[in-house]
Amino acid sequence: MSDTDYMQMAIEQAQAAAQQGEVPVGAVLVGPNGEVLARAQNQMRRQNDPTAHAEIVAIREACAKLGNSRLIDCDLYVTLEPCPMCAGAIAHARLRRLYYGAGDSKGGAVDNGVALFAQSTCHHAPEVIGGLREGACADLLTDFFALRRNEPS
């Protein structure tokens, strides 16, 4: 499978999240041999859990599957640039690579905001590839919030 195939899986997870009324963010975590270890979507509203971001859910599932808190040589594909919490979890999990679709100038913490991986205090920084299927990922969010703004209060 290619990087765009994995990101397409993440986009499908984001679409499913939107159908559930969640902010449409999806993630796919891939092991060293290309096997999909986890597919996840935002679940904060459904779980009543502010930490149930797609990235965190995927990391938890992959760690449980591998029986290890370290995901060395694993890659994460996510439709939106991770926030500070998720960037911290990515660093702690020791992920090899992070691929993200749309940048997040308000809440992102990778190439925007605190730029966590660029900080000298960050103990592990994955390779970062931003902008993968950026248009499709950004459109999901734009469309979701446009519908929300038009809903009656």
Side-chain angles (χ1 to χ4, degrees):
M1 295 189 97
S2 71
D3 294 335
T4 55
D5 292 329
Y6 293 124
M7 185 58 82
Q8 180 58 39
M9 288 181 199
I11 289 169
E12 290 165 6
Q13 289 295 310
Q15 291 167 332
Q19 291 172 353
Q20 297 288 321
E22 298 279 0
V23 174
V25 177
V28 171
L29 209 146
V30 178
N33 299 322
E35 75 276 21
V36 174
L37 298 172
R39 297 171 203 236
Q41 56 192 250
N42 273 359
Q43 300 177 24
M44 296 166 307
R45 296 179 110 189
R46 286 175 280 166
Q47 300 287 332
N48 295 314
D49 180 356
T51 70
H53 290 201
E55 301 95 308
I56 301 292
V57 174
I59 288 169
R60 286 176 179 159
E61 186 178 321
C63 287
K65 189 171 193 175
L66 295 177
N68 195 330
S69 65
R70 302 288 169 92
L71 299 172
I72 296 167
D73 294 328
C74 294
D75 300 333
L76 180 66
Y77 295 80
V78 63
T79 57
L80 181 65
E81 177 183 356
C83 71
M85 174 183 69
C86 294
I90 289 164
H92 283 285
R94 307 290 199 277
L95 287 164
R96 173 178 55 187
R97 280 187 209 99
L98 166 66
Y99 296 85
Y100 72 83
D104 185 353
S105 60
K106 288 184 181 178
V110 175
D111 289 324
N112 289 290
V114 299
L116 182 75
F117 303 138
Q119 301 302 315
S120 62
T121 55
C122 184
H123 61 281
H124 172 78
E127 179 182 351
V128 176
I129 298 94
L132 182 61
R133 305 267 336 260
E134 182 174 16
C137 294
D139 288 348
L140 282 168
L141 291 155
T142 301
D143 294 348
F144 178 81
F145 288 111
L147 286 172
R148 289 282 187 245
R149 278 191 294 278
N150 294 326
E151 287 180 349
S153 307

